[in-house]
Protein backbone atom coordinates (compact mmCIF):
# COMPACT_ATOMS: atom_id res chain seq x y z
CA UNK A 1 0.00 0.00 0.00
CA UNK A 2 1.33 3.44 -0.92
CA UNK A 3 1.96 5.90 1.91
CA UNK A 4 2.27 9.60 1.11
CA UNK A 5 5.15 11.21 3.01
CA UNK A 6 4.81 14.91 3.74
CA UNK A 7 6.53 17.38 6.05
CA UNK A 8 6.34 21.10 6.72
CA UNK A 9 10.16 21.06 6.95
CA UNK A 10 10.43 20.82 3.16
CA UNK A 11 8.68 22.94 0.53
CA UNK A 12 5.08 22.03 -0.20
CA UNK A 13 4.47 20.54 -3.61
CA UNK A 14 3.91 23.25 -6.24
CA UNK A 15 1.92 20.97 -8.52
CA UNK A 16 -0.08 17.74 -8.60
CA UNK A 17 2.49 15.53 -6.85
CA UNK A 18 3.54 14.44 -3.36
CA UNK A 19 6.82 15.30 -1.65
CA UNK A 20 7.41 11.55 -1.49
CA UNK A 21 5.70 8.18 -1.64
CA UNK A 22 6.67 5.04 0.27
CA UNK A 23 5.71 1.65 -1.10
CA UNK A 24 7.09 -1.74 -0.03
CA UNK A 25 9.90 -0.06 1.90
CA UNK A 26 11.02 2.08 -1.05
CA UNK A 27 10.80 5.86 -0.75
CA UNK A 28 10.47 7.88 -3.96
CA UNK A 29 11.26 11.54 -3.30
CA UNK A 30 10.09 14.13 -5.82
CA UNK A 31 12.67 16.54 -7.19
CA UNK A 32 13.56 19.20 -4.65
CA UNK A 33 14.47 22.74 -5.58
CA UNK A 34 16.23 25.35 -3.40
CA UNK A 35 13.10 26.75 -1.82
CA UNK A 36 13.27 27.64 1.86
CA UNK A 37 10.20 25.94 3.38
CA UNK A 38 9.91 28.57 6.13
CA UNK A 39 9.76 31.57 3.80
CA UNK A 40 8.87 30.12 0.40
CA UNK A 41 11.80 32.06 -1.06
CA UNK A 42 14.17 30.63 -3.64
CA UNK A 43 17.83 30.79 -2.70
CA UNK A 44 20.29 32.07 -5.29
CA UNK A 45 23.77 30.84 -6.19
CA UNK A 46 24.76 27.21 -6.69
CA UNK A 47 26.32 26.84 -3.20
CA UNK A 48 23.27 28.08 -1.30
CA UNK A 49 20.93 26.30 -3.69
CA UNK A 50 22.62 22.92 -3.32
CA UNK A 51 22.70 23.16 0.49
CA UNK A 52 18.97 24.03 0.56
CA UNK A 53 18.07 21.20 -1.79
CA UNK A 54 19.98 18.73 0.41
CA UNK A 55 18.29 20.12 3.55
CA UNK A 56 14.90 19.68 1.87
CA UNK A 57 15.75 16.09 0.94
CA UNK A 58 16.98 15.45 4.51
CA UNK A 59 13.67 16.73 5.92
CA UNK A 60 11.71 14.32 3.73
CA UNK A 61 14.00 11.42 4.60
CA UNK A 62 13.56 12.30 8.30
CA UNK A 63 9.77 12.30 7.90
CA UNK A 64 10.00 8.79 6.48
CA UNK A 65 12.35 7.60 9.25
CA UNK A 66 15.30 7.32 6.86
CA UNK A 67 18.72 8.93 6.38
CA UNK A 68 21.03 9.65 3.46
CA UNK A 69 22.62 6.24 4.19
CA UNK A 70 19.35 4.69 2.95
CA UNK A 71 19.44 6.48 -0.42
CA UNK A 72 20.08 4.05 -3.28
CA UNK A 73 19.64 6.40 -6.26
CA UNK A 74 19.89 10.14 -6.94
CA UNK A 75 19.05 12.10 -10.05
CA UNK A 76 20.56 15.57 -10.34
CA UNK A 77 19.43 18.20 -12.81
CA UNK A 78 21.73 21.18 -13.40
CA UNK A 79 20.96 24.23 -15.50
CA UNK A 80 24.69 24.62 -16.18
CA UNK A 81 27.18 21.73 -16.07
CA UNK A 82 29.86 24.31 -15.16
CA UNK A 83 28.29 24.18 -11.66
CA UNK A 84 28.98 20.44 -11.37
CA UNK A 85 32.16 20.59 -9.23
CA UNK A 86 30.69 22.98 -6.66
CA UNK A 87 27.39 21.08 -6.48
CA UNK A 88 29.20 17.73 -6.29
CA UNK A 89 31.36 18.78 -3.32
CA UNK A 90 28.34 20.03 -1.38
CA UNK A 91 26.23 16.99 -2.32
CA UNK A 92 29.00 14.63 -1.18
CA UNK A 93 29.35 16.45 2.17
CA UNK A 94 25.86 15.22 3.16
CA UNK A 95 26.58 11.57 2.30
CA UNK A 96 28.51 8.74 3.92
CA UNK A 97 31.44 7.88 1.62
CA UNK A 98 31.08 4.20 2.51
CA UNK A 99 27.65 3.98 0.89
CA UNK A 100 27.22 6.52 -1.90
CA UNK A 101 24.04 6.00 -3.94
CA UNK A 102 23.95 5.35 -7.67
CA UNK A 103 23.50 8.62 -9.55
CA UNK A 104 23.24 10.47 -12.80
CA UNK A 105 23.64 14.18 -13.40
CA UNK A 106 22.24 15.86 -16.46
CA UNK A 107 22.20 19.41 -17.78
CA UNK A 108 18.76 20.75 -18.62
CA UNK A 109 17.69 23.97 -20.30
CA UNK A 110 15.28 25.10 -17.59
CA UNK A 111 14.09 24.04 -14.13
CA UNK A 112 11.04 25.06 -12.07
CA UNK A 113 11.24 28.63 -10.76
CA UNK A 114 14.36 29.04 -12.94
CA UNK A 115 16.61 27.47 -10.28
CA UNK A 116 20.08 26.10 -10.99
CA UNK A 117 19.70 22.64 -9.39
CA UNK A 118 17.02 20.06 -8.65
CA UNK A 119 17.63 16.65 -7.03
CA UNK A 120 15.35 13.66 -6.60
CA UNK A 121 16.14 10.50 -4.64
CA UNK A 122 15.05 6.92 -4.12
CA UNK A 123 15.73 5.38 -0.69
CA UNK A 124 15.12 1.94 0.77
CA UNK A 125 13.98 1.17 4.30
CA UNK A 126 15.72 -2.06 5.12
Amino acid sequence: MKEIISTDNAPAAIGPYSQANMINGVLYISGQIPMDPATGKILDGIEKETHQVMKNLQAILDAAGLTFRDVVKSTIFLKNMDDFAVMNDIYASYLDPSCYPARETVQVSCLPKNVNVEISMIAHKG
Side-chain angles (χ1 to χ4, degrees):
M1 179 156 239
K2 178 172 80 170
E3 175 187 0
I4 294 174
I5 305 295
S6 183
T7 177
D8 291 336
N9 295 323
I14 56 175
Y17 62 90
S18 300
Q19 287 175 331
N21 290 313
M22 175 85 78
I23 187 162
N24 297 327
V26 179
L27 181 69
Y28 299 90
I29 304 176
S30 293
Q32 295 299 300
I33 62 173
M35 181 181 288
D36 181 328
T39 65
K41 293 187 179 179
I42 299 292
L43 279 72
D44 189 32
I46 193 63
E47 296 93 350
K48 290 178 185 176
E49 289 185 51
T50 305
H51 278 293
Q52 187 63 54
V53 166
M54 294 303 287
K55 289 175 187 175
N56 294 344
L57 290 162
Q58 177 68 65
I60 295 167
L61 287 165
D62 288 346
L66 299 172
T67 71
F68 282 119
R69 289 184 55 82
D70 299 305
V71 175
V72 295
K73 179 78 165 55
S74 297
T75 301
I76 301 173
F77 303 96
L78 286 175
K79 195 158 81 172
N80 186 338
M81 199 56 82
D82 291 342
D83 291 333
F84 179 84
V86 172
M87 176 283 302
N88 195 55
D89 286 345
I90 295 166
Y91 168 88
S93 74
Y94 286 82
L95 304 173
D96 181 337
S98 71
C99 59
Y100 287 139
R103 178 183 92 181
E104 68 266 328
T105 303
V106 295
Q107 180 173 312
V108 295
S109 63
C110 188
L111 288 165
K113 305 276 187 187
N114 204 33
V115 300
N116 292 304
V117 61
E118 179 177 3
I119 302 175
S120 64
M121 291 183 163
I122 300 171
H124 183 261
K125 191 174 204 166

